[in-house]
Every structure is written in C-alpha cells, then in structure tokens.
C-alpha cells in the first residue's frame, strides 16, 4: 500500500470524523433540549393544546425519512431566502428529528418512575414543578439512559446522511477521495471502521455510565 | 418380569455437574396402580417425575413403560425430542402451573394433541374434547379462552388435555400447589374420580390426606433417595424412618397452625 | 393556497416520476424486509446452536450491522464490490444492504418474542407427544407472533424510511425522484413537502396500527407477572 494514499485516507477520515463528532454533538444537544423541554411540558400540564402540539411534532418527524427532511430543510428554506450552511442545516435537521425521538424516550422514563414517588412528593408539600424537578426528573433520566444511548448511536450513523447536503463529514470526504484515487474498497472499508469505532465507544461509554448509576 | 408391570424405574439418577439431585431411585408400578411421591422440597420427587418422560433426562438408570425403554435408542444413545414424541404421547402429564395453550380456546386445548399426534379428524377430536370436558365438569366452558377460567378450572382443563392423549400412564406434578386453597378441592375430586377408574398414576403432592385417599402406595423421598415406601396406610400411620416421622409431624403441626 | 396551486399546476409533470419512485420505494421495502426476515431466522438459528465459533460469528455480524451506517454498507456493496469483480445493480445492492442491516434488528425482535413465552409451554407441548417442529409451529410461534407483530411493523416502517438512503447510490426511488424533479423545477419546498407527505401517509398508519396492537397485547391477561414499563419498548412504539 502506497504511503501517500495512506496519509491522504487518514487525513480525510480524521477531519471527517471531527465534523461527524461536531454534527453528532450539536444535534444531540438540540435533541436533548427539545426532548427535555417538551416532555416536561407534557408531563406537567394537562392542557390539550400542548399535548396536541407535541404529538403533531413527534408524529410528523418520526414518520418522514431523515434524508427527505434534510433536503426539505436545506433546499426548501433556501428557496424561501433562508440559506443555511451545510453544518447548520445538518445539526438543526438531525436535532429536530432527534427531538421527536427523545421526547418519547423521556416520557417513557418519567412514566417508569413509580407513581408512589409523585404521591409521596405531593404529600410532603412540594409544588408540582418542584416535585418534577427534584423527584421525577432525576429518577426518570436514569430510566431513560439506555434508550438515550441507543439513540446516540443511531444519530452517529445518521450523520452519514448529511454528506448529501455537502457537510464535510466522514462519508463526504471518503467519497471525494474515492473520486480522486479510485481505491473504493479500501477507503469505504476504512470509513466503516471509523464509524464502528465511534458507535462502539458510545455504546461502551453508556454502559459504563449505566453501571455507575446502577440503572436497574 | 411380571406381565402386569406397567412402569419400571430402575436406578434413576440425575446430577448437574457434581451436584446429584437424584441418587439411584427404583420403583415399579402395576397396571392400574397409583403411587404418590411425597417428601420435603428439594427431595428430588419432581425431578424423578420429570425424568420419567425425559423432560429432565436422567444421567443414569432406565425407565421402561410396558417393557419399552423410554428415551434411549437400542444402542443406548439418548433420543432427540423428535424420537421421544411417540413415547411421550403415551404418558399424560399435568403440571403445577397448568401450561394451557393461551392462544387456543378450551376445546382446542384438549383437541390439539388428538388431532396432531393421534391423527383424529377435526370433528372426532372436538367430540372427544367435549366428552372429556364434560367429565371434568367444564362442558360449558369449551369455547372460553383459558385466561377467563379460575385456576381450579384451568387445572381441570389441563387434566382433560392429558386424558385426551389416552395415555397409559398419568403423571401429576404437584397439581394443586399453585391453586388458592378454596380451589384445591375441585381438582382433587377430579383426580380421585380418575383414580376410581383404575388409571395408572404417579403423583407428586403435598396433600398428605389426598395421597392417603388416592394412592395405593406411597414413596417418601429425601435427599434424592427413596427413604421409605409401602402401602399408604402403613407409611403414613406407622412410619419407620426418623426422617419420615419428622416430616409427617412438621406437616401435621403446620396444618394445625393453619387451621 | 400557493402550495396546493403549485402542486396542481405541476401534477401532470411530476406524477409519473413520483409514482415510479414510490413503486421503487415499495419494492426496496418489500425486498429488504423479506430478506431481513429470512436472515433474522437464520441468525436466530445460528444463535441457538451449541457451537461457540458459530455463535461468535453471529455476534460479530450483529455488531457490524448495528455499528455501521446503512449508507456505508450501501457504498461498499455498490461501489466497492465491483472492484472484487462483483457488480450489483443499484436496486439489488439497496435491497441487500437494507436486508442485511435490518436482519440484525429483526433477529432481536424474534428472540424477544420467543423469550417472552414461559418455558412450560415448550415442556408441556413436548410432554404431550408433539414433535419439536409441531411444538414450534402449533404452540410457540402462534403465541410469540403476538409479541412480535408490533415491533415488526415498527421495523417495517423504519426500513421504508431508510430505503430513502438508496437515493445516494442512484436508485431512483421516491427521494431521488423528487430531488431530480426539484433540480429541474427549482421548487424545492413544494416538491419535498409533497414527498414528505407521501412518506408520512405510508409510515403513520403503520405506526398507529402498531400502537393499537401493542395496547391490545398489554391488556391481554395471561401475562399475570406485572412488570415495570419497558422503556426501550415504549420508545420503539411511540
């Protein structure tokens, strides 16, 4: 194997991996904020409008392919005059989709907290908001952790799609290098290994964290 | 071997690694005879019962039904579940937790084996099922799903299901242990009725009074061995082994305590 | 409404290509899902073998299929395999790629479905003289299916959505078809809105049905053991 090719592959995949990690971290942050905020809102209120709005958001984004949604956001908004950069579109797009997923994860987590906890919190005179923040949320987050880990892994894999809107992540760089060198199998094989490393690291990290927190 | 011997259990043993649950148990059963296995929990009585039809294949010894070796081929190798199927069809088994088919109605629960194993037609099997359900006083429940029935009713369906095999031998594995006390009676009544018909049975049970009434012979097991055996009357009223005396006393005490 | 009027004006131009794309999406979905089911059965069979090497192979497969993005697998199948002398048509590469990845998820569904059954069911069936095949077919499968139906449906809709990734290996399915229409018409918003709606009305009913099935299952009494709500399961279904 030619060492200049090797260097080119390492450079391309490493810089791609940095972008992949940035997109993942950004989208994860957006998704978690949306997820926590909306699931907490839905938990604390019985207002029909809030519930319906959350439901519509979740159903709309969970039933449309990520790629289609990214195209809609990137090309569609541009036509309206909002030109998002590839990176912003990638983070926003995947984050919005992720929000729809994490809402349901958090909601299931909160529901997994035994109902006696809320009753006991009320009985010591906590307001509903305080009870949620101090009692339900910390326990619910622990229940939600395994599913959040699965979501984070799925998100890393989904970042490969933002190559299609020209964000210079692993697959985008790999494809460019293949066009120059025609070393298809080697380069895509190496890309696969990088993804495998990233996803397995997250899986390991989450299971470590789970053990630390002793999630039942 | 006398021609009226139905079941022959010879030196049956079962161990998991170094741990032996069953240490050489032998007994035989004549046609129409009823034997009750009693003993403290962990004594190996359930394992012994489940070794008879090879649900828990023994690691030593032999089981013969009507002279035919169960679970082993002529070269001594263990049979697969496929090869065992026709032999198991001749042995009906009633489980502690019923294990009815939850996806089938009561009639189909009883009719499944006759149709699929014995090759009865749909109508013949349904007719047989209805007869057997009537016999266990559940004719009116034939179209229900099992989960709509009480535990006692479910166990009676399970008995009808075992009878539908037209088995040479019936095995009962603590048939009333999972039941609420008020439901035990109806199941025991059905088993007593079967006993009256002269069916061969091996029963594992905790109900000593019931064992006395139904069984011709009682085998007391402890620590994976047979400690004492004999006619029901003599074993229960005139126990010899200290371990058996102790067991019967503690049962009697508990019964008094309960009442 | 301008969205509707744009659609109305262009429908004769767009419809043929969109319908062709939709057909391809359905073909990819059906093909990929069938392949995934077959491979999942094979994987579960391998897992049930006593042979440690065979089981290790199965586990490596599952790790690869879950850890690598579908896009990478499709690129490897479509662009890299020709270098090894095997050229697959894009459509076939898409079906194989989707099938290979979803086999791992569906294997999990199958296993969970059978594991949910009490061990006594198998024992009682064998004790009554049913053969192992009859036991599987008459007793275990009909019960396990109840547990599998909803998650299988969820996986089917996920696979349908992921079939859009085949656009990136030039399979002219719905997403690529609409991208091509967009680059001619310069009307990205209406085109992708329409596409998104088409996907939505395929996926949404399935997810509603899955939820109804799951609800029925939960109110089905025989499982008397009360359990904590299963977070992962609930997530997959909502």
């Amino acid at each position: 194997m030619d060492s200049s090719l090797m260097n080119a592959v390492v450079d391309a995949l490493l810089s791609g991996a940095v972008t992949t990690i940035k997109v993942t971290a950004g989208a994860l942050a957006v998704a978690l904020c949306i997820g926590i905020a909306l699931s907490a809102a839905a938990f604390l209120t019985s207002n029909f409008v809030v519930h319906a709005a959350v439901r519509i958001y979740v159903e709309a984004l969970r039933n449309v392919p990520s790629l289609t949604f990214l195209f809609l956001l990137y090309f569609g908004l541009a036509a309206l005059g909002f030109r998002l950069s590839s990176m912003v579109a990638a983070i926003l797009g995947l984050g919005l989709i992720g929000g729809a997923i994490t809402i349901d994860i958090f909601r299931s987590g909160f529901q997994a907290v035994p109902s006696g906890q809320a009753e006991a919190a009320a009985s010591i005179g906590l307001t509903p908001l305080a009870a949620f923040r101090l009692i339900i949320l910390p326990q619910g987050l622990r229940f939600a952790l395994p599913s959040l880990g699965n979501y984070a892994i799925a998100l890393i894999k989904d970042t490969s799609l933002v190559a299609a809107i020209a964000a210079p992540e692993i697959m985008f760089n790999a494809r460019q290098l293949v066009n120059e060198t025609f070393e298809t199998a080697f380069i895509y094989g190496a890309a696969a290994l990088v993804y495998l490393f990233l996803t397995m690291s997250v899986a390991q990290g989450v299971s470590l964290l789970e053990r630390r927190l002793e999630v039942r | 071997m006398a021609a009226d011997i139905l079941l022959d259990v010879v030196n049956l043993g079962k161990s998991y690694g170094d741990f032996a649950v069953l240490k050489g148990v032998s007994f035989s059963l004549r046609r129409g005879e009823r034997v009750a296995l009693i003993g403290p929990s962990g004594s190996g009585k359930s394992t012994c019962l489940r070794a008879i039809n090879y649900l828990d294949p023994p690691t030593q010894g032999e089981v013969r039904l009507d002279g035919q070796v169960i679970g082993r081929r002529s070269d001594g190798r263990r049979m697969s579940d496929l090869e065992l199927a026709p032999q198991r069809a001749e042995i009906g088994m009633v489980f502690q937790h019923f294990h009815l088919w939850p996806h089938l109605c009561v009639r189909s629960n009883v009719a499944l084996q006759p149709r699929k194993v014995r090759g009865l037609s749909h109508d013949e099997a349904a007719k047989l099922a209805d007869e057997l359900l009537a016999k266990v006083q559940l004719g009116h429940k034939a179209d229900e799903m099992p989960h709509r029935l009480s535990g006692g009713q479910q166990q009676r369906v399970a008995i009808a299901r075992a009878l539908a095999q037209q088995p040479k031998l019936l095995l009962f594995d603590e048939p009333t242990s999972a039941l609420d006390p008020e439901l035990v009676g109806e199941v025991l009544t059905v088993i007593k009725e079967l006993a009256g018909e002269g069916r061969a049975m091996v029963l594992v049970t905790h109900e000593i009074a019931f064992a006395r009434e139904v069984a011709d012979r009682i085998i007391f097991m402890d620590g994976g061995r047979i400690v004492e055996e004999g006619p029901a009357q003599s074993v229960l009223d005139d126990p010899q082994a200290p371990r058996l005396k102790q067991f019967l006393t503690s049962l009697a005490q508990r019964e008094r305590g309960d009442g | 409404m301008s969205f509707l009027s744009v659609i109305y004006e262009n429908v004769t131009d767009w419809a043929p290509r969109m319908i062709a794309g939709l057909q391809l999406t359905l073909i990819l979905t059906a093909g990929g899902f069938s392949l995934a089911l077959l491979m999942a059965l094979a994987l579960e069979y391998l897992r049930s073998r006593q042979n440690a090497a065979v089981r290790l192979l199965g586990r490596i497969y599952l790790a690869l299929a879950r850890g690598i993005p579908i896009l990478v697998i499709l690129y490897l199948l479509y662009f890299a395999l020709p270098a090894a002398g095997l050229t697959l048509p894009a459509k076939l590469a898409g079906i194989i790629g989707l099938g290979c990845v979803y086999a791992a998820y569906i294997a999990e569904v199958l296993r969970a479905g059978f594991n949910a059954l009490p061990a006594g069911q198998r024992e009682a069936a064998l004790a009554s003289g049913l053969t192992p095949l009859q036991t599987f077919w008459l007793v275990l499968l009909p019960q396990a299916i109840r547990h599998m139906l909803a998650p299988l449906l969820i996986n089917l809709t996920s696979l349908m959505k992921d079939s859009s990734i085949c656009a990136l290996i030039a399979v002219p399915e719905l997403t690529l078809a609409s991208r091509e229409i967009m680059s001619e018409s310069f009307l990205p918003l209406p085109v992708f809105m329409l596409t998104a709606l088409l996907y939505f009305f395929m996926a949404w009913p399935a997810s509603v049905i899955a939820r109804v099935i799951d609800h029925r299952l939960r109110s089905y009494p025989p499982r008397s053991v009360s359990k904590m709500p299963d977070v992962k399961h609930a997530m997959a279904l909502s």
Side-chain angles (χ1 to χ4, degrees), chain B residues 50 100-103 113 116, chain C residues 121 123 128 134 138 220:
Chain B
R50 291 163 55 87
L100 293 182
W101 318 130
H103 59 301
Q113 200 274 356
K116 299 296 177 177
Chain C
Q121 288 292 312
E123 285 190 349
S128 75
Q134 285 176 320
L138 300 171
Y220 178 66

Side-chain angles (χ1 to χ4, degrees), chain A residues 109-125:
Chain A
F110 299 153
Q111 282 171 354
V113 178
S115 61
Q117 292 289 309
E119 287 168 11
S123 76
I124 62 167

Side-chain angles (χ1 to χ4, degrees), chain C residues 25-74:
Chain C
T25 290
L26 293 177
I27 288 171
L28 290 170
T29 307
F33 195 73
S34 313
L35 180 63
L37 263 181
L38 287 178
M39 290 181 65
L41 278 172
L43 277 171
E44 276 314 286
Y45 177 74
L46 287 187
R47 201 205 294 263
S48 72
R49 304 307 296 172
Q50 296 297 313
N51 188 326
V54 171
R55 278 164 49 182
L56 182 67
L57 274 180
R59 281 178 60 185
I60 291 176
Y61 179 86
L62 293 183
L64 292 178
R66 285 188 201 131
I68 300 175
I70 294 176
L71 179 63
V72 181
I73 289 169
L74 292 180

